[in-house]
Amino acid sequence: MPTKLAVQFRSSRNTSCAFERLKTCKKCGAYSVLFDDRCKECGATGKFIPVARYIASLNRVLPMAEAFGAVALVALAVVLANDWMQIAAAGIGGAAFLALLFLLRKRYKPYADLYRFHEVLVDHTPAILKGLRADLQEADGDMSANHPKEAYEKLREIGHLLNNESIKQRKIACLRRFYIRKDMELELDPLVPKKFDPEFVLYMRDAVKVNRQLVRHSALDYVVAFRPQIEAMEGGREFLVSMAGSALRMKKYVQMYPRFIIDYLDELPKERFHRLCKLLADTPVQQRNELYAKCKETAQTRYASDPDFQGMF
């Protein structure tokens, strides 16, 4: 295993939608999600704009074009009128039509903008995929050049839109090169593979050790599914105990994984077991299960004289 590196990741952008991370080149229409300002397709510099800004410009121009077309139709009706009565009717009808068009556009503008956003993304899917593949090649180049930090930061951005098993493996390979610290912006859910991967387990062990908040149901599903393989690893059982303790972070996880928690209940640290007791103490009679009974029994035997557990059940 190569020497591990102490790194500080570039801050990841916060967006309400993953596609807002895309940017497009005004010169050639190529797409990218990376940080550099030079287009890999045409070589232009300073021509990238966020895709959200590009679509916002369409949302300004297209309604103006529609309004111009509506005005042209009304003007045409007035020009083709044969007498003053028809001119008045065309003018009044046209004014009503334009007013209705304005009111409808104002009311449904958010939906129209969202539809156009979706329409552009669908129409430009081949170009977007081409851009993401070019970004991926750049990340692969960093990995080949032994620049795992730069590679991971690029893979992290790509992974918001394209996160197949191959990209997960690349990210895990990079993360295994770093010292994992509490102050790092870590990810876990997006990395969960479909098959057993000891490298992912080793990364998950390090990540959970410094940040228990990373554990969600996908990670718990993974350790439950591959428990025999994980337990066979060096330090595997200790890690499974830690994951059982992490499942106590939320009551819904306790309800989802009772059997898993029972199997490691006797090895939980006192602090974790005490939290479990607090979560289960007020369980209604009709909802009490094997985990409740086992927890109560352990509290009354192992911690019978401990004041922290007095009167809990």
Side-chain angles (χ1 to χ4, degrees):
M1 181 75 184
T3 303
K4 290 199 173 188
L5 307 172
V7 299
Q8 185 68 47
F9 296 144
R10 180 196 297 255
S11 295
S12 182
R13 295 168 288 176
N14 291 321
T15 59
S16 57
C17 170
F19 284 101
E20 290 179 6
R21 296 174 176 274
L22 280 168
K23 59 184 182 181
T24 184
C25 177
K26 292 188 292 184
K27 183 175 180 181
C28 69
Y31 284 87
S32 176
V33 291
L34 301 186
F35 324 102
D36 59 299
D37 203 30
R38 183 178 181 277
C39 178
K40 292 185 284 291
E41 188 72 19
C42 67
T45 301
K47 296 296 183 180
F48 275 120
I49 60 170
V51 69
R53 191 194 306 171
Y54 167 68
I55 294 173
S57 67
L58 293 180
N59 289 337
R60 289 192 299 269
V61 171
L62 293 180
M64 292 174 61
E66 292 173 359
F68 179 80
V71 170
L73 285 175
V74 173
L76 182 62
V78 172
V79 169
L80 295 178
N82 294 321
D83 52 43
W84 286 106
M85 185 69 70
Q86 291 183 1
I87 291 174
I92 294 171
F97 171 68
L98 290 173
L100 180 62
L101 179 64
F102 174 79
L103 290 173
L104 288 174
R105 176 155 294 286
K106 184 177 181 181
R107 180 174 182 179
Y108 294 103
K109 183 179 184 303
Y111 305 102
D113 290 352
L114 185 62
Y115 173 76
R116 193 169 290 113
F117 189 87
H118 178 265
E119 191 176 43
V120 168
L121 293 177
V122 170
D123 290 345
H124 292 204
T125 294
I128 292 171
L129 288 174
K130 182 179 179 182
L132 290 174
R133 293 189 188 102
D135 290 345
L136 185 57
Q137 287 180 351
E138 188 172 326
D140 285 342
D142 285 331
M143 293 180 71
S144 299
N146 198 27
H147 298 145
K149 174 184 178 293
E150 292 77 5
Y152 173 71
E153 289 172 343
K154 292 170 183 177
L155 290 166
R156 183 178 59 181
E157 293 300 313
I158 297 166
H160 286 285
L161 290 119
L162 195 65
N163 197 37
N164 54 37
E165 294 301 294
S166 176
I167 290 176
K168 291 178 184 179
Q169 289 174 357
R170 287 175 168 93
K171 288 200 281 188
I172 293 166
C174 291
L175 287 164
R176 291 283 294 135
R177 294 287 312 279
F178 311 137
Y179 288 110
I180 302 300
R181 305 186 312 274
K182 189 178 182 64
D183 65 323
M184 298 173 78
E185 188 177 345
L186 299 172
E187 59 179 333
L188 186 59
D189 261 20
L191 300 175
V192 176
K194 294 180 180 178
K195 298 180 180 179
F196 176 68
D197 182 351
E199 289 296 306
F200 169 71
V201 174
L202 292 172
Y203 164 72
M204 180 165 52
R205 180 195 63 188
D206 293 342
V208 172
K209 189 180 298 182
V210 300
N211 187 356
R212 204 184 289 272
Q213 302 295 319
L214 292 169
V215 176
R216 297 185 175 88
H217 68 84
S218 57
L220 290 167
D221 283 345
Y222 185 86
V223 298
V224 169
F226 297 105
R227 184 159 50 150
Q229 295 94 318
I230 294 172
E231 191 151 356
M233 296 174 64
E234 183 178 354
R237 185 166 185 86
E238 290 79 1
F239 172 62
L240 290 169
V241 172
S242 173
M243 288 298 289
S246 298
L248 311 181
R249 190 170 63 85
M250 299 180 67
K251 191 169 185 177
K252 70 175 182 179
Y253 295 156
V254 174
Q255 296 168 343
M256 291 171 65
Y257 306 97
R259 185 69 257 171
F260 176 63
I261 296 170
I262 287 172
D263 289 346
Y264 301 99
L265 188 67
D266 292 336
E267 298 167 70
L268 288 176
K270 176 187 171 182
E271 173 268 329
R272 290 281 91 193
F273 181 70
H274 186 259
R275 174 168 176 77
L276 176 60
C277 291
K278 288 173 64 177
L279 290 172
L280 296 178
D282 60 351
T283 303
V285 175
Q286 63 273 20
Q287 296 179 17
R288 294 176 183 176
N289 54 17
E290 185 183 357
L291 176 59
Y292 177 91
K294 178 68 173 174
C295 189
K296 180 179 179 180
E297 177 189 346
T298 303
Q300 291 175 345
T301 53
R302 186 186 302 175
Y303 298 101
S305 60
D306 193 319
D308 291 339
F309 293 86
Q310 297 303 310
M312 189 163 283
F313 289 99

